[in-house]
Amino acid sequence: MPKLNPNLFLDEEFEVYADRRVHRRAGYKPNHNPKKSPDAAIYEIAGDAGDELNFSYNASRHEREWIINSLGGFYDQQWFDDVLLLLKGGKEASVYQCLANDTTGTDYLAAKIYRPRRFRNLKNDHLYREGRVRLDEDGNEIINGGMHHAMNVRSAYGLQLLHTSWIEHEYQALQILHAAGARVPVPYARGDNAVLMEYIGGANMAAPTLNTIDLERDEVSQIFECVIKEIEIMLAHDCIHADLSAYNILYWDGEITLIDFPQAIHPAENRNAFRIFERDVTRICEYFNRQGLQADARRIAKDMWTAYNHRLTPDVHPGLLDGDDEADRAYWQKLVSED
Ligand SMILES: Nc1ncnc2c1ncn2[C@@H]1O[C@H](COP(=O)(O)OP(=O)(O)OP(=O)(O)O)[C@@H](O)[C@H]1O
Ligand SMILES: [Mg+2]
């Protein structure tokens, strides 16, 4: 299992969490009974969440604090009894294997905790942000002008809002796709900084990502068809993964599970949607080409896209364009002159 590099957990990364306990919203109900169904309601981490949480995973001091702040509410709500293992600590998120509470009816849960470092990359994510609504901590679209301003100027409050919106997008994508019957981890609950979902793998080993697997010859085309079917289910539900590759597909017992959805976009609400969609399909085809299967990514992407009545040339809503941006103005001129 990968070991956490302690240097990844620098103090500055925890600045956002330092005052978290103070800022938690009122309304925490320690005695309410959590639902344990996959369609469970959204739970909040609040109050002195996680004060009792003591776990066996051997974390550094900062990481321990970070885990308690991020997962304490879930612990209080008896989703899990222990944090067992860091499955993967990356620059965007860390995912932990948790021992599920008996009441959940499952053995393990995966807890994905998002890192504040993500904030620093937000400048580069305009490709995905376009047309995406910003979501608040209850999963509703943010309409408050002051909140939008805070996000636009990247104040500390604005960054926190963007962070929440990012997590909400992942959680909602999982909910929608799970309800649609897609092969994604069952989303159980989300908090300020983490999502609790179905754990894919066994007691001693989490499911590896597909990029680390060499498929048996006789399963290559079947798994390929499976992935293509998942892409189609997503498109049918107005969802493009937008970071799809063999790195974001888990493989376990001959089955695949798609993961990692915070950047997912709507096909009709982003000018670059087809380009992003085609890139997803291309990355998948590249992996399967290496497994000996010939697939024409461009054709597959185009056929699927048009089958769902999406236009190959973007139909831009003027609201997506920034009048002060030279590139946007040129783009608009081009569209107008083409009409
Ligand atoms: N539900 C799950 N069950 C088992 N393992 C999981 C699950 N979700 C994620 N993982 C593991 O955690 C890793 C990171 O998860 P994910 O891809 O969602 O986050 P990420 O933002 O891409 O993080 P990173 O920057 O580390 O890639 C996955 O590659 C996988 O190994
Ligand atoms: Mg990933």
Side-chain angles (χ1 to χ4, degrees):
M1 283 299 154
K3 282 269 179 290
L4 184 84
N5 172 358
N7 295 326
L8 288 173
F9 284 87
L10 300 174
D11 275 353
E12 53 165 325
E13 294 212 25
F14 294 88
E15 66 214 13
V16 177
Y17 302 99
D19 294 330
R20 167 87 19 124
R21 281 160 196 255
V22 179
H23 292 311
R24 281 193 180 121
R25 287 183 300 155
Y28 176 54
K29 300 185 196 81
N31 294 324
H32 85 284
N33 287 325
K35 277 192 221 150
K36 297 290 161 77
S37 79
D39 298 317
I42 291 169
Y43 292 109
E44 299 167 7
I45 294 176
D48 293 326
D51 276 357
E52 306 290 318
L53 174 53
N54 220 327
F55 51 84
S56 48
Y57 165 62
N58 189 10
S60 70
R61 188 166 66 83
H62 287 309
E63 187 190 5
R64 179 166 288 271
E65 175 79 359
W66 188 56
I67 291 172
I68 291 171
N69 276 332
S70 306
L71 302 184
F74 299 140
Y75 175 79
D76 290 350
Q77 292 155 356
Q78 299 179 345
W79 283 101
F80 69 87
D81 297 334
D82 197 3
V83 180
L84 300 173
L85 200 66
L86 173 69
L87 298 174
K88 180 145 186 272
K91 58 187 188 321
E92 313 293 7
S94 290
V95 180
Y96 296 87
Q97 181 191 21
C98 299
L99 182 68
N101 186 272
D102 279 349
T103 56
T104 62
T106 187
D107 292 336
Y108 303 102
L109 296 172
K112 179 170 180 177
I113 311 186
Y114 301 78
R115 317 203 79 196
R117 194 182 284 258
R118 163 73 76 190
F119 299 164
R120 300 180 191 135
N121 299 334
L122 286 178
K123 254 198 236 113
N124 305 326
D125 78 350
H126 61 277
L127 204 62
Y128 308 106
R129 263 188 290 121
E130 180 181 88
R132 282 200 349 163
V133 295
R134 288 156 162 182
L135 301 171
D136 67 16
E137 58 194 344
D138 296 321
N140 300 317
E141 181 177 355
I142 293 176
I143 47 172
N144 179 304
M147 289 161 88
H148 277 289
H149 178 71
M151 289 184 274
N152 293 340
V153 300
R154 300 286 192 273
S155 69
Y157 174 56
L159 290 176
Q160 181 60 46
L161 289 171
L162 286 168
H163 187 62
T164 302
S165 176
W166 187 258
I167 295 169
E168 262 310 316
H169 272 289
E170 168 136 54
Y171 192 68
Q172 289 194 6
L174 285 173
Q175 282 185 309
I176 290 166
L177 295 174
H178 171 63
R183 291 184 172 280
V184 298
V186 179
Y188 288 113
R190 70 102 173 88
D192 290 358
N193 194 43
V195 166
L196 211 54
M197 66 183 105
E198 178 187 8
Y199 166 82
I200 313 293
N204 299 315
M205 188 190 162
T209 49
L210 194 56
N211 64 298
T212 64
I213 302 286
D214 269 331
L215 295 170
E216 300 291 333
R217 279 176 65 152
D218 60 354
E219 63 178 345
V220 174
S221 61
Q222 178 232 327
I223 300 284
F224 175 70
E225 292 305 327
C226 245
V227 177
I228 294 297
K229 189 177 148 217
E230 294 307 309
I231 295 175
E232 185 156 5
I233 294 176
M234 287 194 280
L235 194 58
H237 290 83
D238 288 330
C239 177
I240 299 172
H241 186 290
D243 189 23
L244 192 61
S245 73
Y247 287 85
N248 279 328
I249 297 178
L250 302 178
Y251 177 87
W252 190 251
D253 266 353
E255 308 269 7
I256 51 144
T257 306
L258 274 55
I259 57 165
D260 204 4
F261 288 88
Q263 68 294 311
I265 60 163
H266 190 296
E269 293 175 358
N270 185 307
R271 264 177 295 169
N272 297 298
F274 179 65
R275 195 148 62 89
I276 294 169
F277 179 72
E278 193 186 19
R279 189 187 59 187
D280 277 1
V281 177
T282 301
R283 285 183 181 160
I284 292 302
C285 289
E286 282 168 0
Y287 167 79
F288 282 96
N289 286 349
R290 287 198 299 279
Q291 299 296 313
L293 182 141
Q294 294 311 311
D296 181 347
R298 167 122 194 119
R299 190 186 54 74
I300 295 171
K302 205 172 144 202
D303 288 354
M304 210 189 285
W305 192 254
T306 46
Y308 282 88
N309 292 326
H310 295 302
R311 289 166 47 131
L312 290 168
T313 47
D315 187 9
V316 183
H317 187 282
L320 291 176
L321 298 172
D322 177 359
D324 294 331
D325 184 302
E326 201 176 315
D328 274 12
R329 281 205 308 275
Y331 183 83
W332 183 247
Q333 283 301 330
K334 188 166 164 283
L335 281 186
V336 173
S337 62
E338 277 168 4
D339 270 352

